[in-house]
């Protein structure tokens, strides 16, 4: 049997670790472009990345694998382009570029007729004042690059907040101002597209955040209107086709009384898809690995209602979590720090009511 190509992953965090765990049974070896020797993925393959000699590190990383992917979108595109000059990188640079910049991302959504909150680009204090006049308050103001988990955001509630917001965020970065959406709930949809265009789509997840960080996902999103599901699938298909995307793509959505609004996309596996490790026939990680290596994709069916709870800031007692029937604990090998994603728990049940009971028991296991 022909050996499968080796996979090089930009980044060695928990997403890289779970990609490598999914790659292992397929006899796909992973290597990582990652400067921290104790990164979560480092136990699963060699890491390359040396801030003092990045050329040599990149050359060694390039030699270590045949196909490349990434676990986060805030990578220096020039590095990815250097790899892409000689070996395949999936998802392609078009997907990466759009997802790195909130203005480009929102413009792409508009081009593809995917509705979003009303927004304005902000390059000066006067733009912010104009956005407040045009869109009304509150406004959610975000840095256009490098924001994640609610970082780099400011909610302008009163006219008096405008100058403070500008001083806090605008001095360092270009901004986007968005209408504050009174959503019913937050949803996300993850799809995986193969090199031949084959596309599989996971059921939508309902996501709850704490201080901007994902805390809980429930799948399939309870009481979801079938027309809303089809709409979300249509939106993500438009993105996949337009970008000729290969691999996993996540679209975060707000469900409102008037339908869905797109918040942002991630050209990668996503925290709101961790439920799929035990909850789906084939996990987002395995399907991403399959897609970038040109293998057939697996079923995204979710046979039983499933939840994912993030372990944030402090470790729970293992015994307590594992005593909850059906619970699976995934820890990432990280040290505790307030708000840090240290791991997650998945649990499935026969009914949504039983799942809610399990979620309540698991919440009680989580410190803080
Ligand atoms: P983001 O970094 O864009 O994913 O935003 C982080 C979180 O902030 C989202 O998951 C929402 O809970 C909230 N948020 C972002 N944009 C808006 C908005 N326009 N209106 C209301 N809430 C928002």
């Amino acid at each position: 049997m022909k050996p499968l190509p080796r996979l090089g992953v930009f980044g060695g965090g928990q997403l890289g670790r779970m990609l490598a765990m999914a790659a292992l049974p397929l006899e796909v070896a992973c290597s990582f472009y990652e400067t921290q020797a104790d990164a979560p993925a480092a136990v699963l393959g060699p890491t390359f990345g040396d801030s003092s000699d990045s050329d040599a590190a990149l050359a060694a990383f390039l030699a270590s694998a045949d196909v490349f992917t990434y676990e986060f979108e805030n990578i220096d595109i020039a590095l990815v382009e250097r790899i892409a000059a000689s070996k395949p990188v999936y998802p392609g640079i078009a997907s990466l570029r759009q997802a790195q910049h909130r203005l480009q991302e929102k413009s792409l959504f508009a081009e593809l007729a995917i509705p979003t909150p009303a927004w304005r680009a902000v390059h000066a204090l006067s733009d912010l004042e104009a956005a407040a006049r045009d869109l009304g308050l509150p406004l959610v103001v975000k840095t256009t690059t490098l924001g994640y988990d609610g970082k780099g955001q400011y909610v302008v509630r009163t006219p008096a907040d405008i100058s403070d917001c500008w001083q806090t965020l605008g001095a360092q970065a270009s901004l986007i101002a968005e209408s504050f959406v009174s959503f019913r709930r937050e949803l996300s949809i993850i799809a995986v597209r193969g090199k031949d265009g084959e596309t599989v789509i996971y059921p939508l997840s309902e996501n709850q955040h704490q201080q901007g960080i994902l805390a809980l996902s429930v799948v399939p999103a309870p009481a979801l209107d079938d027309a809303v599901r089809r709409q979300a699938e249509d939106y993500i298909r438009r993105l996949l086709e337009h970008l000729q995307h290969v691999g996993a793509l996540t679209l975060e959505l707000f469900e409102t009384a008037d339908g869905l609004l797109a918040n942002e996309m991630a050209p990668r596996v996503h925290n709101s898809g961790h439920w799929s490790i035990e909850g789906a026939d084939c996990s987002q990680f395995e399907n991403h690995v399959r897609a970038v290596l040109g293998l057939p994709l697996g079923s995204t069916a979710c046979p039983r209602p499933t939840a994912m709870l993030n372990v944030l800031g402090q470790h729970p007692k293992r015994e307590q979590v594992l005593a909850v029937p059906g619970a699976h604990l995934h820890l990432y090998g990280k040290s505790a720090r307030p708000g840090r994603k240290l791991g997650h728990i998945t649990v499935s049940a026969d009914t949504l009511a039983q799942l809610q009971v399990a979620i309540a028991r698991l919440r009680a296991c989580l410190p803080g």
Side-chain angles (χ1 to χ4, degrees):
M1 200 168 60
K2 202 164 131 239
L4 280 166
R6 300 163 302 166
L7 184 61
V9 184
F10 279 93
Q14 62 266 18
L15 300 182
R17 176 179 170 116
M18 290 184 272
L19 282 171
M21 286 168 73
L24 200 58
L26 301 175
E27 291 190 333
V28 174
C30 290
S31 52
F32 306 92
Y33 192 74
E34 167 62 58
T35 50
Q36 291 187 335
D38 63 347
V43 289
L44 285 145
T47 57
F48 302 89
D50 179 346
S51 40
S52 62
D53 189 353
S54 54
D55 281 349
L58 198 69
F61 179 54
L62 179 62
S64 74
D66 309 295
V67 175
F68 291 80
T69 189
Y70 38 91
E71 59 136 33
F72 68 119
E73 56 274 32
N74 292 321
I75 327 168
D76 180 356
I77 291 217
L79 285 185
V80 183
E81 278 171 339
R82 281 168 65 187
I83 297 277
S86 49
K87 292 188 176 171
V89 180
Y90 300 114
I93 286 176
S95 299
L96 194 56
R97 219 183 274 287
Q98 300 287 349
Q100 278 190 351
H101 201 284
R102 289 190 194 270
L103 290 175
Q104 289 191 25
E105 187 179 66
K106 287 285 196 307
S107 304
L108 175 66
F109 291 155
E111 187 186 333
L112 299 178
I114 299 172
T116 64
W119 58 272
R120 294 285 184 279
V122 173
H123 305 294
L125 177 60
S126 56
D127 293 336
L128 193 53
E129 287 162 348
R133 270 196 311 276
D134 293 356
L135 307 179
L137 297 181
L139 282 180
V140 184
V141 181
K142 306 175 181 178
T143 54
T144 52
T145 57
L146 302 177
Y148 67 98
D149 288 343
K151 294 187 175 61
Q153 288 193 16
Y154 192 116
V155 180
V156 173
R157 296 184 190 279
T158 68
D161 292 337
I162 293 177
S163 69
D164 187 49
C165 170
W166 176 252
Q167 271 156 30
T168 310
L169 294 184
Q172 314 120 42
S174 75
L175 306 176
I176 182 170
E178 299 176 11
S179 288
F180 186 95
V181 180
S182 305
F183 47 77
R184 283 185 184 150
R185 59 178 168 174
E186 294 188 71
L187 301 169
S188 60
I189 184 163
I190 301 175
V192 184
R193 183 174 179 276
K195 287 189 209 173
D196 57 359
E198 178 192 6
T199 297
V200 291
I201 304 182
Y202 288 93
L204 274 83
S205 167
E206 175 181 319
N207 304 319
Q208 291 175 23
H209 296 80
Q210 270 168 21
Q211 279 120 38
I213 305 175
L214 182 66
L216 173 71
S217 292
V218 177
V219 185
L224 185 71
D225 193 289
D226 211 43
V228 173
R229 177 186 60 76
R230 282 199 305 271
Q231 188 75 79
E233 291 182 359
D234 180 37
Y235 292 157
I236 202 159
R237 277 187 197 280
R238 285 183 211 174
L239 287 164
L240 290 167
E241 289 309 309
H242 177 86
L243 296 165
Q244 289 294 292
H245 189 89
V246 173
L249 179 73
T250 305
L251 181 61
E252 293 181 29
L253 298 155
F254 300 133
E255 188 180 22
T256 75
D258 303 321
L260 293 173
L261 298 176
N263 177 31
E264 62 178 0
M265 65 177 187
R268 55 169 169 80
V269 287
H270 194 259
N271 195 168
S272 67
H274 293 0
W275 65 272
S276 65
I277 299 178
E278 283 89 16
D281 283 352
C282 183
S283 78
Q284 62 165 349
F285 299 101
E286 182 172 343
N287 262 330
H288 182 79
V289 170
R290 291 189 191 200
V292 301
L293 297 182
L295 297 167
L297 303 181
S299 158
T300 54
C302 169
R304 298 199 302 157
T306 299
M308 187 284 314
L309 294 91
N310 263 345
V311 174
L312 300 171
Q314 293 177 61
H315 291 98
K317 290 199 171 66
R318 265 183 275 224
E319 300 70 15
Q320 229 186 332
V321 172
L322 299 179
V324 176
H328 296 270
L329 178 62
H330 299 254
L331 296 174
Y332 307 148
K334 290 159 92 171
S335 55
R337 197 198 297 150
R340 196 176 196 198
K341 289 178 182 174
L342 304 176
H344 70 268
I345 303 165
T346 65
V347 66
S348 300
D350 289 334
T351 65
L352 189 57
Q354 287 168 1
L355 187 66
Q356 297 298 355
V357 172
I359 292 170
R361 279 193 67 182
L362 288 167
R363 273 200 166 123
C365 300
L366 293 173

